Amino acid sequence: MTNESLSDFPLALEGDNMPMVSFRKVTKRYGDLVVLDSLDLDVAEGEMVTIIGPSGSGKTTVLRMLMTLETINDGVIYVDGKPLTHMPQGDRLVPASNRHLRQMRSNIGMCFQHFNLFPHMTALENCMEGPVHVLGLSKKEARERSEELLEMVGMADKRNQHPSRLSGGQQQRVAIARALAMRPKVMLFDEVTSALDPEVIGEVTNVIRRLVTEHNLTMLMVTHQMGFAKDISDRVCFFYGGRIEEQGTPDELFGNPQKERTQQFLSAVKEAT
Ligand SMILES: Nc1ncnc2c1ncn2[C@@H]1O[C@H](COP(=O)(O)OP(=O)(O)O)[C@@H](O)[C@H]1O
Ligand SMILES: [Mg+2]
């Protein structure tokens, strides 16, 4: 991207309606493949936005960009008013340094389909690791915070178990507590129930439900569970070809989809279940 086009983007976002997350004309390519196509997406503070859409439509890429696991080719992403992918230098934006990325990354927590807990650590140690080694909390503070969160996800009694002794649903709940222990402003969930046995899916969705109702966390969630998305989202975005094809409240999007692609996707998903 040229410096000229970067000068179109503000150095920071402010004002009463400042979104917690803002994608501005974000394009991501792998070679010739355009995965995100000039994407505009705002998520308000405290909002729960769900992303649905066919495989390969760019859902995971949106979350990976926010985790700064990849660079973008065009556009700017802002988190909590500050540029994430870029940083101000004088009166313009330049690509973010590693230091800037590290600082900004602490705003964001993520849970994936595969729980990737540290296998050699107990549930409690998994939760304490980041607060101690990244945030610099004392072990006492980190333990208190972690025990509270393990209690919240219903895993207090298993805190001294290693992941191999826990079920998939239990591991996923520990993974959520571990992410929350970093006190992120934004939580990302990518198909967190897809690898789980059906009978334990509810224990994980219930934790996410609690986060929505009891905490003012900003969340972006990718899911194939349309019923769950319908239940808990403030807004649902249907992705197609790296763009938002259609978005609305769950009632609008599921009850009265306007676009043909949305209708086709929703009826195909319905048939599959
Ligand atoms: N590291 C990569 N290199 C090349 N192509 C990739 C890479 N990561 C993702 N893609 C491609 O980007 C597209 C979108 O991927 P993704 O965001 O994972 O889709 P979704 O989560 O909606 O299924 C897919 O076509 C995928 O193959
Ligand atoms: Mg995906």
Side-chain angles (χ1 to χ4, degrees):
M1 173 152 83
T2 64
N3 291 334
E4 216 164 47
S5 62
L6 260 184
S7 69
D8 296 341
F9 296 94
L11 297 181
L13 307 180
E14 47 208 337
D16 287 348
N17 294 323
M18 183 192 86
M20 180 55 79
V21 173
S22 186
F23 284 68
R24 304 265 172 116
K25 297 194 166 24
V26 172
T27 294
K28 173 63 182 173
R29 286 185 289 267
Y30 292 109
D32 289 340
L33 180 70
V34 178
V35 179
L36 298 181
D37 185 6
S38 197
L39 176 71
D40 287 315
L41 170 64
D42 281 358
V43 184
E45 184 173 4
E47 193 180 19
M48 161 57 105
V49 172
T50 299
I51 299 178
I52 61 170
S55 179
S57 57
K59 306 181 299 295
T60 294
T61 303
V62 168
L63 305 189
R64 286 175 57 82
M65 299 298 111
L66 280 171
M67 284 301 286
T68 66
L69 295 171
E70 305 262 358
T71 55
I72 59 178
N73 299 98
D74 234 324
V76 177
I77 303 173
Y78 299 84
V79 172
D80 198 19
K82 298 193 203 76
L84 169 76
T85 47
H86 295 77
M87 58 186 188
Q89 196 175 80
D91 58 0
R92 63 194 187 104
L93 290 177
V94 296
S97 65
N98 284 334
R99 192 192 138 120
H100 179 79
L101 290 175
R102 256 198 318 278
Q103 279 172 354
M104 289 299 292
R105 204 176 279 147
S106 65
N107 290 310
I108 296 165
M110 180 160 190
C111 288
F112 305 85
Q113 182 172 352
H114 296 285
F115 348 99
N116 61 17
L117 294 172
F118 305 118
H120 57 290
M121 294 182 191
T122 64
L124 182 62
E125 288 164 349
N126 263 281
C127 294
M128 290 172 59
E129 172 74 13
V132 169
H133 289 105
V134 181
L135 303 182
L137 261 60
S138 72
K139 284 209 162 161
K140 181 172 178 287
E141 284 173 296
R143 175 172 293 116
E144 281 168 10
R145 180 184 290 194
S146 300
E147 284 182 339
E148 208 169 284
L149 287 164
L150 286 170
E151 176 83 46
M152 200 267 288
V153 301
M155 290 295 293
D157 58 334
K158 302 269 188 214
R159 63 183 176 278
N160 295 320
Q161 300 285 354
H162 284 76
S164 61
R165 302 285 302 275
L166 303 175
S167 74
Q170 291 172 334
Q171 288 184 53
Q172 199 59 288
R173 286 187 281 151
V174 174
I176 293 172
R178 182 178 64 169
L180 293 171
M182 299 296 283
R183 298 265 160 92
K185 293 185 175 142
V186 181
M187 267 297 287
L188 311 175
F189 296 98
D190 193 359
E191 294 186 28
V192 286
T193 56
S194 295
L196 298 178
D197 293 327
E199 72 272 19
V200 302
I201 287 176
E203 65 191 57
V204 175
T205 51
N206 281 338
V207 168
I208 297 175
R209 207 182 294 272
R210 273 193 76 177
L211 289 178
V212 171
T213 53
E214 294 171 25
H215 299 258
N216 192 37
L217 206 58
T218 305
M219 294 188 257
L220 252 177
M221 175 174 86
V222 175
T223 186
H224 291 308
Q225 288 183 273
M226 298 302 146
F228 182 49
K230 193 171 176 192
D231 257 15
I232 70 160
S233 311
D234 295 310
R235 177 157 52 108
V236 182
C237 297
F238 172 65
F239 266 62
Y240 192 94
R243 283 172 166 274
I244 299 175
E245 176 81 6
E246 183 168 353
Q247 60 181 316
T249 64
D251 281 348
E252 288 165 353
L253 199 103
F254 293 112
N256 189 17
Q258 300 296 308
K259 298 279 186 78
E260 202 177 323
R261 283 181 180 139
T262 320
Q263 294 162 359
Q264 279 168 356
F265 175 78
L266 291 176
S267 60
V269 171
K270 203 178 250 166
E271 263 166 44
T273 53

